[in-house]
């Protein structure tokens, strides 16, 4: 199975406090049956509380904050990865079209299309720029007019389908390598982390800049410290979290959602220090 998925990606304002992840706990507050029965490739929490779940081959589902399906976004094409620009605007990569579409959520229309020269996958927004993962291990920063601001070459055995751009850093998953990487905007690798990772497929960051990873095959959730030095298992296989595929975080509530590969459930979680 071609495992190209994503999880993510509301950009936080990273706290300067050195947060000790050893005290962090994740509590599953509810497990909601959604029964999409489709391969899920991306997911995010919007600032208004809604959750967007993207199916493989493009259907974009919008759920209410309590996990009820409200509608499907009426935009044609095979959506891949999604990020939020502001309260009313999102951006989505369209893999086969080699394009990023900017979408107004109020009237559900495409306002801009940025055509690229390579197949695009992962997408994240920070500092008024979009960071997009492209073929040939390139991550390109693009402004909201479609102009290239910067481009870096990274190391990845996998398609760059999941990344987070925040605080002048790029954090991405390489599921084939079983690793999480952190790069700065100059293209310098800051750290690489592999401990406690088993087929990682979902990634997001918390308010402190720590990285939360969903491990598909080990049915676990792991947090990595923002300096890439330590990790802790927050949820293990014993907690009955089956095949976690995508994870997203809402920073103003220290909560978020996890979705499995087949879109059968949304698990709402709360992080506590």
């Amino acid at each position: 199975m071609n495992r190209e998925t994503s999880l993510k990606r509301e950009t936080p304002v990273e706290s300067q406090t050195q947060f000790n992840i050893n005290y962090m706990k994740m509590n599953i507050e509810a497990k909601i049956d959604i029964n999409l029965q489709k391969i899920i490739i991306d997911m995010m929490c919007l600032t208004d509380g809604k959750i967007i779940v993207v199916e493989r081959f493009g259907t974009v589902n919008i759920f209410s904050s309590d996990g009820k399906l409200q509608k499907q976004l009426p935009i044609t094409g095979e959506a891949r990865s999604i990020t939020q620009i502001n309260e009313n605007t999102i951006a989505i990569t369209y893999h086969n079209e080699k394009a990023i579409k900017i979408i107004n959520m109020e009237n559900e229309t495409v306002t801009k299309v940025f055509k690229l020269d390579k197949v695009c996958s992962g997408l994240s927004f920070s500092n008024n720029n979009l960071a997009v993962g492209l073929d040939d291990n390139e991550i390109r920063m693009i402004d909201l007019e479609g102009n290239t601001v910067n481009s870096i070459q990274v190391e990845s055995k996998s398609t760059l389908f999941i990344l987070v751009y925040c605080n002048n850093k790029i954090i991405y998953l390489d599921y084939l390598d079983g690793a999480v990487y952190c790069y700065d905007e100059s293209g310098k690798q800051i750290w690489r982390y592999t401990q406690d990772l088993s087929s990682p497929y979902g990634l997001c960051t918390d308010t402190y800049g720590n990285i939360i990873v969903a491990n598909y095959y080990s049915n676990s959730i792991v947090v990595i410290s923002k300096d890439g030095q330590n990790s802790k298992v927050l949820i293990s296989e014993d907690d009955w979290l089956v095949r976690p595929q995508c994870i997203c975080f809402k920073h103003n509530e220290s909560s978020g959602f996890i979705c499995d590969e087949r879109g059968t459930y949304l698990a709402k979680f709360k992080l506590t220090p």
Side-chain angles (χ1 to χ4, degrees), residues 4 20 27 29 69 89 94 104 141 149 211 216 236 246:
E4 295 181 2
N20 189 339
N27 300 309
E29 297 186 327
L69 180 61
T89 309
Y94 285 80
N104 183 299
M141 276 65 83
V149 175
I211 299 93
Y216 178 82
S236 68
C246 299

PDB file of all heavy atoms in Angstrom, residues 4 20 27 29 69 89 94 104 141 149 211 216 236 246:
ATOM      1  N   GLU A   4       1.048   7.348   1.968  1.00  0.00           N
ATOM      2  CA  GLU A   4       1.374   8.759   1.941  1.00  0.00           C
ATOM      3  C   GLU A   4       0.263   9.514   2.627  1.00  0.00           C
ATOM      4  O   GLU A   4      -0.813   9.692   2.088  1.00  0.00           O
ATOM      5  CB  GLU A   4       1.539   9.253   0.501  1.00  0.00           C
ATOM      6  CG  GLU A   4       2.719   8.609  -0.198  1.00  0.00           C
ATOM      7  CD  GLU A   4       2.898   9.120  -1.599  1.00  0.00           C
ATOM      8  OE1 GLU A   4       2.114   9.995  -2.001  1.00  0.00           O
ATOM      9  OE2 GLU A   4       3.808   8.650  -2.291  1.00  0.00           O
ATOM     10  N   ASN A  20       9.391  20.114  30.305  1.00  0.00           N
ATOM     11  CA  ASN A  20       9.859  18.762  30.566  1.00  0.00           C
ATOM     12  C   ASN A  20       8.795  17.769  30.122  1.00  0.00           C
ATOM     13  O   ASN A  20       7.740  17.641  30.763  1.00  0.00           O
ATOM     14  CB  ASN A  20      10.163  18.586  32.058  1.00  0.00           C
ATOM     15  CG  ASN A  20      10.863  17.269  32.354  1.00  0.00           C
ATOM     16  OD1 ASN A  20      10.807  16.320  31.571  1.00  0.00           O
ATOM     17  ND2 ASN A  20      11.513  17.203  33.508  1.00  0.00           N
ATOM     18  N   ASN A  27      -4.630  12.210  27.658  1.00  0.00           N
ATOM     19  CA  ASN A  27      -5.833  11.489  28.049  1.00  0.00           C
ATOM     20  C   ASN A  27      -6.819  11.440  26.890  1.00  0.00           C
ATOM     21  O   ASN A  27      -7.141  12.483  26.310  1.00  0.00           O
ATOM     22  CB  ASN A  27      -6.495  12.180  29.247  1.00  0.00           C
ATOM     23  CG  ASN A  27      -5.589  12.235  30.458  1.00  0.00           C
ATOM     24  OD1 ASN A  27      -5.036  11.221  30.869  1.00  0.00           O
ATOM     25  ND2 ASN A  27      -5.414  13.421  31.029  1.00  0.00           N
ATOM     26  N   GLU A  29     -10.317  11.449  25.796  1.00  0.00           N
ATOM     27  CA  GLU A  29     -11.573  11.843  26.432  1.00  0.00           C
ATOM     28  C   GLU A  29     -12.787  11.236  25.764  1.00  0.00           C
ATOM     29  O   GLU A  29     -13.824  11.030  26.408  1.00  0.00           O
ATOM     30  CB  GLU A  29     -11.696  13.371  26.426  1.00  0.00           C
ATOM     31  CG  GLU A  29     -10.609  14.073  27.241  1.00  0.00           C
ATOM     32  CD  GLU A  29     -10.836  15.553  27.331  1.00  0.00           C
ATOM     33  OE1 GLU A  29     -11.375  16.144  26.361  1.00  0.00           O
ATOM     34  OE2 GLU A  29     -10.491  16.143  28.373  1.00  0.00           O
ATOM     35  N   LEU A  69     -20.164  14.732  11.133  1.00  0.00           N
ATOM     36  CA  LEU A  69     -19.886  15.143   9.760  1.00  0.00           C
ATOM     37  C   LEU A  69     -20.878  16.218   9.328  1.00  0.00           C
ATOM     38  O   LEU A  69     -22.090  16.010   9.361  1.00  0.00           O
ATOM     39  CB  LEU A  69     -19.979  13.936   8.822  1.00  0.00           C
ATOM     40  CG  LEU A  69     -19.703  14.218   7.339  1.00  0.00           C
ATOM     41  CD1 LEU A  69     -18.292  14.746   7.119  1.00  0.00           C
ATOM     42  CD2 LEU A  69     -19.941  12.955   6.503  1.00  0.00           C
ATOM     43  N   THR A  89      -9.573  31.201   5.603  1.00  0.00           N
ATOM     44  CA  THR A  89      -8.814  30.777   4.429  1.00  0.00           C
ATOM     45  C   THR A  89      -7.960  29.555   4.740  1.00  0.00           C
ATOM     46  O   THR A  89      -7.255  29.519   5.754  1.00  0.00           O
ATOM     47  CB  THR A  89      -7.903  31.916   3.938  1.00  0.00           C
ATOM     48  OG1 THR A  89      -8.666  33.106   3.788  1.00  0.00           O
ATOM     49  CG2 THR A  89      -7.283  31.561   2.599  1.00  0.00           C
ATOM     50  N   TYR A  94      -2.655  19.839  -4.322  1.00  0.00           N
ATOM     51  CA  TYR A  94      -3.312  18.891  -5.236  1.00  0.00           C
ATOM     52  C   TYR A  94      -2.215  18.174  -6.011  1.00  0.00           C
ATOM     53  O   TYR A  94      -1.600  18.734  -6.913  1.00  0.00           O
ATOM     54  CB  TYR A  94      -4.301  19.620  -6.150  1.00  0.00           C
ATOM     55  CG  TYR A  94      -5.563  19.990  -5.402  1.00  0.00           C
ATOM     56  CD1 TYR A  94      -5.602  21.109  -4.572  1.00  0.00           C
ATOM     57  CD2 TYR A  94      -6.695  19.187  -5.475  1.00  0.00           C
ATOM     58  CE1 TYR A  94      -6.749  21.427  -3.854  1.00  0.00           C
ATOM     59  CE2 TYR A  94      -7.844  19.494  -4.759  1.00  0.00           C
ATOM     60  CZ  TYR A  94      -7.854  20.617  -3.952  1.00  0.00           C
ATOM     61  OH  TYR A  94      -8.984  20.924  -3.222  1.00  0.00           O
ATOM     62  N   ASN A 104     -11.402  30.014   0.068  1.00  0.00           N
ATOM     63  CA  ASN A 104     -12.198  30.793   1.017  1.00  0.00           C
ATOM     64  C   ASN A 104     -13.263  29.881   1.606  1.00  0.00           C
ATOM     65  O   ASN A 104     -14.104  29.340   0.885  1.00  0.00           O
ATOM     66  CB  ASN A 104     -12.838  31.995   0.317  1.00  0.00           C
ATOM     67  CG  ASN A 104     -13.607  32.879   1.269  1.00  0.00           C
ATOM     68  OD1 ASN A 104     -14.560  32.452   1.906  1.00  0.00           O
ATOM     69  ND2 ASN A 104     -13.210  34.131   1.358  1.00  0.00           N
ATOM     70  N   MET A 141       9.532  27.362   0.235  1.00  0.00           N
ATOM     71  CA  MET A 141       8.719  28.364   0.905  1.00  0.00           C
ATOM     72  C   MET A 141       8.169  29.331  -0.152  1.00  0.00           C
ATOM     73  O   MET A 141       8.929  29.876  -0.951  1.00  0.00           O
ATOM     74  CB  MET A 141       9.528  29.129   1.956  1.00  0.00           C
ATOM     75  CG  MET A 141       9.604  28.407   3.296  1.00  0.00           C
ATOM     76  SD  MET A 141      10.489  26.828   3.227  1.00  0.00           S
ATOM     77  CE  MET A 141      12.186  27.392   3.371  1.00  0.00           C
ATOM     78  N   VAL A 149      10.104  32.123  -1.994  1.00  0.00           N
ATOM     79  CA  VAL A 149      10.878  32.904  -1.028  1.00  0.00           C
ATOM     80  C   VAL A 149      12.190  32.206  -0.702  1.00  0.00           C
ATOM     81  O   VAL A 149      13.232  32.833  -0.558  1.00  0.00           O
ATOM     82  CB  VAL A 149      10.065  33.124   0.265  1.00  0.00           C
ATOM     83  CG1 VAL A 149      10.887  33.839   1.335  1.00  0.00           C
ATOM     84  CG2 VAL A 149       8.791  33.902  -0.038  1.00  0.00           C
ATOM     85  N   ILE A 211       7.137  17.788  19.596  1.00  0.00           N
ATOM     86  CA  ILE A 211       6.596  17.131  18.408  1.00  0.00           C
ATOM     87  C   ILE A 211       5.854  15.869  18.832  1.00  0.00           C
ATOM     88  O   ILE A 211       6.410  15.016  19.541  1.00  0.00           O
ATOM     89  CB  ILE A 211       7.732  16.774  17.415  1.00  0.00           C
ATOM     90  CG1 ILE A 211       8.456  18.053  16.957  1.00  0.00           C
ATOM     91  CG2 ILE A 211       7.186  16.031  16.211  1.00  0.00           C
ATOM     92  CD1 ILE A 211       9.664  18.394  17.792  1.00  0.00           C
ATOM     93  N   TYR A 216       1.917   4.165  13.518  1.00  0.00           N
ATOM     94  CA  TYR A 216       0.855   3.334  12.937  1.00  0.00           C
ATOM     95  C   TYR A 216       0.905   1.890  13.431  1.00  0.00           C
ATOM     96  O   TYR A 216      -0.073   1.375  13.983  1.00  0.00           O
ATOM     97  CB  TYR A 216       0.966   3.380  11.414  1.00  0.00           C
ATOM     98  CG  TYR A 216      -0.042   2.529  10.688  1.00  0.00           C
ATOM     99  CD1 TYR A 216      -1.333   2.993  10.458  1.00  0.00           C
ATOM    100  CD2 TYR A 216       0.298   1.265  10.226  1.00  0.00           C
ATOM    101  CE1 TYR A 216      -2.264   2.212   9.785  1.00  0.00           C
ATOM    102  CE2 TYR A 216      -0.622   0.478   9.553  1.00  0.00           C
ATOM    103  CZ  TYR A 216      -1.902   0.959   9.334  1.00  0.00           C
ATOM    104  OH  TYR A 216      -2.808   0.179   8.671  1.00  0.00           O
ATOM    105  N   SER A 236       0.032   3.968  24.560  1.00  0.00           N
ATOM    106  CA  SER A 236       0.609   2.707  24.106  1.00  0.00           C
ATOM    107  C   SER A 236      -0.475   1.803  23.533  1.00  0.00           C
ATOM    108  O   SER A 236      -1.664   2.126  23.553  1.00  0.00           O
ATOM    109  CB  SER A 236       1.314   2.007  25.267  1.00  0.00           C
ATOM    110  OG  SER A 236       0.368   1.569  26.233  1.00  0.00           O
ATOM    111  N   CYS A 246      -3.420   9.867  11.586  1.00  0.00           N
ATOM    112  CA  CYS A 246      -3.270  11.320  11.555  1.00  0.00           C
ATOM    113  C   CYS A 246      -3.533  11.893  12.937  1.00  0.00           C
ATOM    114  O   CYS A 246      -4.338  11.349  13.697  1.00  0.00           O
ATOM    115  CB  CYS A 246      -4.243  11.960  10.558  1.00  0.00           C
ATOM    116  SG  CYS A 246      -4.014  11.427   8.860  1.00  0.00           S
TER     117      CYS A 246
END
